[in-house]
Amino acid sequence: MAVGLANGRPAADEEARAEVDVLNSRLEKTTQLTKKIQACLGRLEATGKSVRDVTGPLNGETRRLQILGNNIDSVIAAIERLRQPADSKNDEEQIIRMGPDKAGLSNYLGSIKRLNKALDDMKASNLRSTQQTVAELQRLVKLGNSQLENAFDKLLRSETPRMIEPLHFITKNKAFPVLSQDKFNKLGLMNSFVNQQTAGANPPQESPVAKIYAEIRSQYLSSSLVNMAAASSNTAKKKNPDAIYRAGTNGIGTYAQAMEGLFLSEYENICNIFTREDWGSVFQATCQPALVELGRTLRELNGHIKQHMNTDCYLAYEIVEIISALSNNLEAKTGELKSSLAASLKPVRETAKSSLAELLEDTKRRVNSIQTLPQDGAPIPIISETMQRLQTMVDFLRPISSIMVSLGDGNWKSVSASRSGAVGDAIPSLASFDVGADGKEIFAHYCTDTIEALMMSLDGRARLILQKKPVMGVFLANSVVIIERMILQSDLGPLLQGRLGVLEAWRKKATSLYMEACKDVSVHLFDMIKTGQGGRSGGGRPTSGQGAVDSASIMKGLGSKDKAEIKEKFQLFNAGFEDMVQKHKSYSMEKEVRGQFAKDMQNMIEPLYCRFWDRYHEIDKGKKGGQGRVKWDKGGIAAVFQGLY
């Protein structure tokens, strides 16, 4: 067993050594292979270095060739693009020559856009070889734009009547016509395209379609309003030169109403066709010819008003109100035309302002030019004419208040002040007035100034011409009553309430003048009889509360001289009283004046006469009827006074 083990070990060792030898042999071969690989890598690196040295310049050249190739491709593409418009020019020209109607608006506009783009590209290339093509494209673009403008003109004219009759729409309360929505779309598209064409122009150009629109539509507006303008002038002509103008009888109100309706419908058209920044300028240009005609009409009416200031100044007030309202309405809805309308209204507004002073001066001048007055104290026509003028002014209180507020309280007292009192030429709005100024109060002041001026002038002429105080009193009293009656029986009453003190002063003056004759008569009823020193029971005047007067006892106490004096007083009174009664009946008096003066006479004379009669009527004792000095008893004289009313 032991010998077996010993023989086994050497065999295993030999096997192990053989394996080691095999491994060593393989390691040596691996080492040799590694050395060969390293040698190969070294040779490969050397070869790669040589290749890099050779291929480096070739790569740079290749890149340059690539760039050159790309440039050549770009040039070829550009040439193709330049050739394309030239190649498609014939197609675009065919569309352009067909026009927007046959080619269709969208197709036509697209063609012009393509032509414009091609033209811009060719101009940008700046190649001499394309100059002929550029010229041809420019010709086509110009032709296209021209035909587009002609199409705008044609379409707009086809939708625009020569004129319409505004009265038809006003009387039937119908809206004034505007263009259809389809036409809005087409015209707006054309305008938008043309605006793009002219947007970059230097210097800036007016839109040709805006000019076309203003030309066509302005003719339509002017033609539609021309009859209204003529009617305004014709209705101002007077059959009766003295007839006072009445509100609404002139055609200016309908004219302004028609103008407002037409202008607002035209503004709606403009807003649907043009861009916002063009609305104002196109609207102004379109309305301008109609506004020129309005200005001419107002100047013609102003000349008529100046020739008939006394009767037709109210037309000026009405025009101021109507045109001011028109201006304010248009400005509120469009923001335009206020300055143009103010310029048209200016002559009439100046006339309206100056009329207040001129009418006041004319009243004084007309009265002062009177050479004769009725000798019976009858009133003269200028009194009622002046009051009728003030009554008529109430119908135009709104414009008159506006004028007076802008003129200033009291500035109507002279023509020069009224002309210099204006605050600018612009049409006023309510906001421009002094908030504290009350137009009605100022107008009432003007009325009282007019009445005072009239009465002062009448008083001056009466003093110069009539001279007799009773007649002067009748004349002034008649004037006061007529003025007062025309105030109270009209719309002047509420306006002048509390301001009639000016008439009361003249009424008192008239009464004072008339009662001068009564004073002359009544003086005969004052007795200055003195009784004897011893005193006779009937000789003195009865004291208050003494009781009935005994005329017989008084007469017994008088001497012959005193009796003769009493008889003379009765005679003088009778003559004076009869003359006064006869004149009172002969005077031309208004009913109120006659009654008031009769009452004043009775209040003054009857108490004196009754007292005198109570004391001295026995002076006729024993006389037969008709032979005595005492012509009336107390009842008789009362009856005479009753006959004076």
Side-chain angles (χ1 to χ4, degrees):
M1 186 66 162
V3 175
L5 289 171
N7 289 334
R9 282 195 191 102
D13 290 339
E14 283 296 332
E15 188 179 350
R17 280 194 295 269
E19 291 177 358
V20 170
D21 290 340
V22 172
L23 290 174
N24 286 336
S25 175
R26 289 179 178 177
L27 179 61
E28 184 178 353
K29 287 179 181 180
T30 301
T31 301
Q32 290 175 356
L33 182 60
T34 300
K35 288 179 180 179
K36 289 179 181 180
I37 292 173
Q38 287 177 343
C40 288
L41 287 174
R43 287 193 300 274
L44 182 60
E45 185 177 355
T47 302
K49 185 173 183 292
S50 300
V51 171
R52 283 196 299 270
D53 292 341
V54 173
T55 60
L58 292 176
N59 288 335
E61 190 65 23
T62 301
R63 282 195 297 271
R64 285 194 294 274
L65 289 174
Q66 287 176 341
I67 293 172
L68 179 59
N70 291 335
N71 289 341
I72 291 172
D73 290 340
S74 297
V75 171
I76 292 171
I79 291 172
E80 289 297 325
R81 287 195 302 271
L82 292 175
R83 288 179 59 189
Q84 186 179 359
D87 294 340
S88 62
K89 178 176 69 67
N90 292 335
D91 295 336
E92 303 295 359
E93 183 173 3
Q94 185 179 2
I95 294 174
I96 294 299
R97 292 196 179 281
M98 287 174 65
D101 291 336
K102 293 182 179 179
L105 183 58
S106 298
N107 190 27
Y108 186 83
L109 295 179
S111 178
I112 296 179
K113 286 181 181 179
R114 291 190 294 273
L115 287 172
N116 277 318
K117 187 177 185 305
L119 183 59
D120 292 339
D121 290 341
M122 284 195 168
K123 286 182 178 179
S125 69
N126 201 23
L127 296 175
R128 294 181 63 185
S129 60
T130 62
Q131 288 182 356
Q132 182 177 355
T133 305
V134 168
E136 291 177 355
L137 291 176
Q138 286 177 329
R139 177 180 57 80
L140 280 178
V141 169
K142 185 176 181 181
L143 176 62
N145 288 334
S146 176
Q147 289 190 153
L148 186 62
E149 293 168 16
N150 291 338
F152 185 94
D153 185 299
K154 181 180 178 181
L155 179 59
L156 186 60
R157 286 187 188 277
S158 68
E159 288 295 305
T160 302
R162 192 181 70 82
M163 63 173 290
I164 63 170
E165 182 51 63
L167 273 178
H168 170 75
F169 297 92
I170 293 173
T171 55
K172 296 190 175 182
N173 198 25
K174 296 175 64 176
F176 282 81
V178 296
L179 302 177
S180 64
Q181 188 62 47
D182 176 57
K183 300 305 183 290
F184 283 152
N185 294 337
K186 290 182 179 180
L187 294 171
L189 187 59
M190 293 182 192
N191 171 70
S192 177
F193 186 84
V194 172
N195 277 349
Q196 292 175 5
Q197 302 294 309
T198 59
N202 189 16
Q205 298 177 0
E206 180 186 3
S207 171
V209 295
K211 188 175 181 181
I212 292 170
Y213 184 93
E215 178 184 352
I216 295 173
R217 298 298 290 185
S218 64
Q219 292 175 0
Y220 155 72
L221 293 179
S222 297
S223 299
S224 298
L225 290 170
V226 67
N227 290 336
M228 292 291 174
S232 298
S233 298
N234 292 335
T235 50
K237 296 176 181 178
K238 302 162 71 75
K239 294 181 180 179
N240 180 4
D242 297 327
I244 293 178
Y245 177 78
R246 296 298 176 189
T249 55
N250 185 264
I252 189 67
T254 308
Y255 185 14
Q257 192 176 354
M259 181 172 285
E260 181 177 348
L262 282 167
F263 280 11
L264 289 178
S265 64
E266 202 59 41
Y267 188 72
E268 183 178 347
N269 290 338
I270 291 169
C271 292
N272 280 282
I273 295 173
F274 296 92
T275 56
R276 178 178 291 274
E277 56 268 20
D278 293 332
W279 290 354
S281 59
V282 177
F283 186 54
Q284 287 272 5
T286 305
C287 298
Q288 193 57 39
L291 290 173
V292 170
E293 180 63 21
L294 172 66
R296 186 200 65 76
T297 302
L298 293 182
R299 288 193 297 274
E300 184 176 339
L301 290 174
N302 188 53
H304 169 83
I305 292 166
K306 285 186 172 182
Q307 291 177 357
H308 305 86
M309 184 69 82
N310 283 333
T311 57
D312 285 7
C313 60
Y314 318 101
L315 177 56
Y317 309 144
E318 184 174 64
I319 291 174
V320 168
E321 180 175 24
I322 289 172
I323 302 302
S324 297
L326 171 65
S327 174
N328 291 330
N329 291 343
L330 288 175
E331 186 189 23
K333 296 175 182 177
T334 70
E336 303 293 336
L337 303 184
K338 184 167 186 177
S339 59
S340 298
L341 288 169
S344 299
L345 181 60
K346 182 181 177 182
V348 178
R349 184 170 175 79
E350 291 300 317
T351 298
K353 283 188 288 192
S354 63
S355 69
L356 299 172
E358 289 181 16
L359 292 173
L360 201 57
E361 292 297 322
D362 181 71
T363 298
K364 298 176 185 177
R365 184 169 54 250
R366 289 176 62 194
V367 174
N368 291 333
S369 66
I370 293 174
Q371 299 301 316
T372 59
L373 288 174
Q375 293 301 309
D376 59 358
I380 54 178
I382 194 173
I383 301 168
S384 57
E385 289 171 5
T386 302
M387 294 309 300
Q388 189 177 15
R389 188 176 74 232
L390 294 179
Q391 287 177 340
T392 307
M393 281 184 170
V394 178
D395 296 334
F396 304 90
L397 191 57
R398 273 182 58 85
I400 289 178
S401 296
S402 164
I403 292 166
M404 287 183 171
V405 169
S406 64
L407 191 62
D409 193 2
N411 281 340
W412 52 72
K413 293 184 179 178
S414 70
V415 176
S416 59
S418 67
R419 287 175 178 167
S420 63
V423 184
D425 300 327
I427 292 176
S429 62
L430 292 177
S432 67
F433 289 162
D434 177 7
V435 177
D438 188 338
K440 291 183 178 180
E441 285 295 317
I442 297 178
F443 175 70
H445 185 190
Y446 177 78
C447 290
T448 55
D449 278 358
T450 300
I451 293 169
E452 182 66 20
L454 173 64
M455 291 303 302
M456 288 184 67
S457 299
L458 292 174
D459 180 57
R461 298 311 290 173
R463 288 178 180 275
L464 183 65
I465 297 172
L466 297 178
Q467 296 182 349
K468 296 179 181 179
K469 290 183 178 181
V471 184
M472 290 167 54
V474 172
F475 178 71
L476 293 179
N478 282 335
S479 302
V480 169
V481 165
I482 291 173
I483 292 172
E484 184 177 48
R485 182 191 304 146
M486 294 185 74
I487 290 174
L488 298 178
Q489 294 179 357
S490 70
D491 291 334
L492 285 171
L495 292 171
L496 297 182
Q497 188 175 6
R499 291 177 174 267
L500 297 183
V502 61
L503 289 179
E504 204 55 42
W506 285 104
R507 196 195 316 273
K508 289 180 179 179
K509 182 171 185 177
T511 301
S512 176
L513 289 170
Y514 189 77
M515 295 304 289
E516 287 292 326
C518 291
K519 291 178 181 179
D520 293 341
V521 172
S522 64
V523 72
H524 302 303
L525 300 177
F526 292 104
D527 56 315
M528 302 296 293
I529 304 301
K530 295 182 181 179
T531 61
Q533 289 183 357
R536 288 174 291 213
S537 60
R541 294 184 182 180
T543 59
S544 178
Q546 184 175 335
V549 177
D550 185 358
S551 177
S553 63
I554 291 175
M555 294 307 300
K556 289 179 182 179
L558 296 179
S560 58
K561 184 178 179 181
D562 293 333
K563 290 180 180 179
E565 187 175 346
I566 294 298
K567 291 178 182 179
E568 183 181 10
K569 284 181 177 290
F570 269 114
Q571 288 177 329
L572 292 174
F573 171 79
N574 293 341
F577 184 70
E578 287 178 336
D579 181 67
M580 185 181 70
V581 169
Q582 185 272 327
K583 287 181 178 178
H584 179 85
K585 292 180 178 180
S586 68
Y587 291 142
S588 176
M589 298 184 189
E590 295 294 313
K591 181 180 179 181
E592 299 91 334
V593 174
R594 187 173 299 280
Q596 186 59 49
F597 279 175
K599 182 178 180 180
D600 292 338
M601 292 167 60
Q602 186 174 10
N603 290 341
M604 175 180 285
I605 294 176
E606 187 176 19
L608 293 174
Y609 183 83
C610 289
R611 169 198 161 283
F612 199 78
W613 185 89
D614 284 340
R615 290 176 62 82
Y616 305 117
H617 66 272
E618 287 292 332
I619 193 74
D620 279 345
K621 187 176 182 180
K623 301 286 185 180
K624 294 182 180 180
Q627 297 179 352
R629 306 293 194 281
V630 182
K631 195 167 186 178
W632 304 280
D633 59 14
K634 291 192 286 184
I637 199 137
V640 173
F641 281 119
Q642 287 301 315
L644 299 181
Y645 282 87

